[in-house]
Amino acid sequence: MLPRLVHLNDKHVLNYSLVKTASDAVGDRQLEREAQWLRELAGVRELDGQVPRLLDEGVNEQGRRFLVVSVAQGTGETRAFTPGHERFLASLGKARFRSTDFEVSGCGEQLHASLLRLEGSMPRSTLDTLRGAYRECETALLYWTGPYVLSQGDFAPWNIRTLGSQLFVCDWGEACTEASPLDDVLHYLIVQRALHGRAVNARFLQSAMKRAHAFALAAYPEWTWRARVIGALTLVYLLGTLLHYCAPARRVEHGHPLVKPYWKLIQERSAWMPGND
């Protein structure tokens, strides 16, 4: 997902390393999570050379956390979703995954907990819409057991550099376990379009779903990927992103460049959600 505004100070390139320093408690927590994930990913052979190495970490004189990580001298970002992106996400997903039911998966429990925290703080009509969307996810995924995987959390062009046939993916402060296996794919396809002010409508979402469906079939062929499952997991992604931004303020921030189109897609989901198959 797109990172929240965590008030990290400017990052400074020192030769082939990058220094990140937090400026508040929220930034401290994000850097702590990033360090944890970089330590774990360092042991994943399939991702060797594709994620930063944690070179140093600690607390500065002001009591703020800092990290020093390696950086790649790649050829810059690309907006296309390439076979290199597919290979990276397939390797990342297999680095840590759990085959389980939606209601007991990490993402399912997180959505449910976020909705509970919003009780009494949102207009009833807004909360009813969000609850209804969550129930549709539960219903569509009721008899489906699938992989819930490690997600980078903000898999977007600005966090990716191209290194020949491989990628170098930075900024792991929003990574999470037991995410939908479609989250990173859908985020990559949708977020850059939304942030550039281009239409994210039902037609575009359906094309993104087809791309995510093709990825799922190739990366996780052991599981069944019916159209209804793809639609439900797309709704899971939209809900998760919306709540990520709205839960702290306890309201739907309609002026936010992601919240506005995502909220509309959730409201008008009958226009793009597949029916029973």
Side-chain angles (χ1 to χ4, degrees):
M1 295 183 182
L2 190 71
R4 285 166 282 187
L5 297 177
V6 295
H7 306 299
L8 295 180
N9 287 340
D10 289 341
K11 306 167 186 179
H12 305 284
V13 176
L14 303 176
N15 296 325
Y16 294 99
S17 64
L18 189 70
V19 180
K20 297 183 175 184
T21 305
S23 61
D24 58 18
V26 177
D28 284 335
R29 290 192 293 272
Q30 186 175 15
L31 289 187
E32 184 176 11
R33 288 195 301 270
E34 182 164 9
Q36 174 188 340
W37 281 116
L38 292 182
R39 285 192 291 269
E40 179 167 336
L41 293 171
V44 180
R45 181 176 57 83
E46 293 79 4
L47 298 177
D48 186 40
Q50 298 186 80
V51 298
R53 288 182 293 113
L54 180 61
L55 304 176
D56 194 13
E57 62 178 312
V59 178
N60 65 17
E61 294 179 354
Q62 291 73 42
R64 300 270 72 102
R65 289 189 65 90
F66 71 86
L67 302 181
V68 183
V69 298
S70 64
V71 295
Q73 303 299 305
T75 59
E77 65 184 55
T78 175
R79 295 184 182 181
F81 187 74
T82 70
H85 294 74
E86 292 183 344
R87 287 192 298 271
F88 180 88
L89 290 180
S91 297
L92 179 65
K94 292 178 176 65
R96 190 201 280 195
F97 77 92
R98 177 187 179 200
S99 182
T100 191
D101 298 327
F102 171 71
E103 62 267 23
V104 295
S105 68
C107 68
E109 291 180 342
Q110 178 63 38
L111 287 177
H112 185 255
S114 295
L115 289 171
L116 287 178
R117 287 194 293 269
L118 294 175
E119 293 280 355
S121 61
M122 273 189 171
R124 179 171 294 277
S125 60
T126 301
L127 200 53
D128 284 348
T129 296
L130 296 173
R131 286 175 182 151
Y134 177 78
R135 285 194 296 270
E136 286 187 35
C137 295
E138 283 189 308
T139 300
L141 298 171
L142 182 60
Y143 299 110
W144 183 77
T145 298
Y148 291 88
V149 305
L150 171 58
S151 165
Q152 191 268 350
D154 186 21
F155 195 72
W158 42 88
N159 287 329
I160 301 168
R161 294 295 178 268
T162 302
L163 301 173
S165 61
Q166 290 189 328
L167 305 181
F168 186 86
V169 182
C170 57
D171 284 349
W172 290 83
E174 296 292 346
C176 61
T177 57
E178 296 192 28
S180 160
L182 305 188
D183 272 5
D184 283 339
V185 180
L186 291 169
H187 189 72
Y188 189 91
L189 296 172
I190 299 172
V191 70
Q192 54 183 313
R193 185 180 180 94
L195 290 180
H196 282 88
R198 299 173 64 193
V200 182
N201 51 27
R203 182 177 179 181
F204 173 78
L205 185 61
Q206 287 172 332
S207 70
M209 289 164 60
K210 289 180 181 178
R211 192 71 186 84
H213 193 176
F215 167 79
L217 289 169
Y220 305 102
E222 305 94 328
W223 284 272
T224 302
W225 299 100
R226 300 186 306 274
R228 193 179 188 211
V229 169
I230 299 298
L233 292 177
T234 300
L235 187 54
V236 166
Y237 163 71
L238 294 173
L239 272 173
T241 303
L242 186 79
L243 291 172
H244 179 79
Y245 289 103
C246 295
R250 296 180 176 271
R251 62 179 182 271
V252 175
E253 300 277 7
H254 293 287
H256 191 283
L258 292 187
V259 170
K260 182 178 180 180
Y262 283 36
W263 172 246
K264 185 175 182 181
L265 287 169
I266 291 170
Q267 285 183 304
E268 301 176 359
R269 57 192 179 275
S270 62
W272 56 265
M273 282 280 284
N276 295 331
D277 55 348

